[in-house]
Amino acid sequence: MIEPALIKSAQAGDREALVALLREIENQVYRTAYYLLNHEQDAMDASQEALIRIYTKINTYEEKAQFRTWVQRIVTNICIDKFRRKKPSVSIDEHELVFESGDNVETEVLSSYAAEEIREAIGKLPEHHRTVVVLRYLQDFSYNEIADSLNLPLNTVKSYLFRARQQLQTLLHDYQKGGVRG
């Protein structure tokens, strides 16, 4: 939770407070960008652009909405713009599996496959469905916060989430049957 005093200080021109504020939100901004764009470099670019926009526009923040909702609206809009400008690409980089313990390697390998399957399935969703899934399940936004952040009616958010869950269920059907695709 970000302290309102920190936001006020940043808006008043305290550079140290502004830098502290940006550091506090940078991981959340990157995480949202990564899941929306599904590409590490694009997510880093979008995160940087969002942080710069927050830095330059901090004075426009009004307490009508929660600060995190305001931040998510910025990063989501930047990601949507990037997504529209560029066709999504699939990264073919190999990722190393890093195991936390040597006790149950099989479980850790299967968990890493499951996480990858879910990430890929989220990446296949249409842009508007992916956005609400990321905000709801990865950023833990309420339905109302998602509606505020995306400037959508509440029922539209609920509908998008319902359809996204159906699509994810279909996309993950092979995995749910116990098979790992390779």
Side-chain angles (χ1 to χ4, degrees), residues 96-169:
E96 291 183 36
L97 293 175
V98 179
F99 302 113
E100 294 177 11
S101 68
D103 295 339
N104 197 346
V105 173
E106 181 181 358
T107 300
E108 291 186 33
V109 168
L110 290 176
S111 293
S112 69
Y113 279 122
E116 183 64 21
E117 290 280 331
I118 292 168
R119 188 184 66 71
E120 287 179 11
I122 290 171
K124 292 177 183 176
L125 293 174
E127 172 187 322
H128 54 283
H129 290 170
R130 182 176 340 135
T131 302
V132 295
V133 166
V134 168
L135 292 177
R136 177 70 183 124
Y137 297 108
L138 300 173
Q139 296 296 346
D140 201 30
F141 272 41
S142 70
Y143 289 2
N144 288 327
E145 289 171 329
I146 295 168
D148 289 345
S149 181
L150 299 177
N151 201 24
L152 292 172
L154 182 60
N155 285 335
T156 301
V157 169
K158 290 177 181 179
S159 174
Y160 284 178
L161 279 168
F162 177 79
R163 289 188 186 122
R165 284 191 297 264
Q166 286 181 320
Q167 290 172 324
L168 285 172
Q169 187 174 11

Side-chain angles (χ1 to χ4, degrees), residues 1-14 17-18 21 25 58-59 61-63 65-68 70-71:
M1 187 70 167
I2 297 171
E3 294 293 324
L6 184 62
I7 298 168
K8 294 267 188 221
S9 295
Q11 287 180 313
D14 183 344
L18 184 54
L21 182 64
I25 63 171
I58 190 70
N59 291 329
Y61 168 69
E62 298 174 2
E63 293 183 28
Q66 290 185 17
F67 184 73
R68 76 180 195 145
W70 183 75
V71 167

Side-chain angles (χ1 to χ4, degrees), residues 45-114:
D45 292 345
S47 297
Q48 183 177 11
E49 189 176 332
L51 291 170
I52 289 169
R53 190 165 301 165
I54 292 163
Y55 177 87
T56 59
K57 303 285 187 183
I58 190 70
N59 291 329
T60 65
Y61 168 69
E62 298 174 2
E63 293 183 28
K64 294 177 186 174
Q66 290 185 17
F67 184 73
R68 76 180 195 145
T69 303
W70 183 75
V71 167
Q72 287 303 315
R73 181 177 292 165
I74 291 171
V75 71
T76 300
N77 287 341
I78 288 170
C79 290
I80 289 170
D81 289 345
K82 282 190 172 301
F83 189 76
R84 287 180 180 152
R85 277 185 261 144
K86 176 184 171 189
K87 293 272 184 191
S89 63
V90 177
S91 173
I92 58 172
D93 296 335
E94 291 293 324
H95 298 285
E96 291 183 36
L97 293 175
V98 179
F99 302 113
E100 294 177 11
S101 68
D103 295 339
N104 197 346
V105 173
E106 181 181 358
T107 300
E108 291 186 33
V109 168
L110 290 176
S111 293
S112 69
Y113 279 122

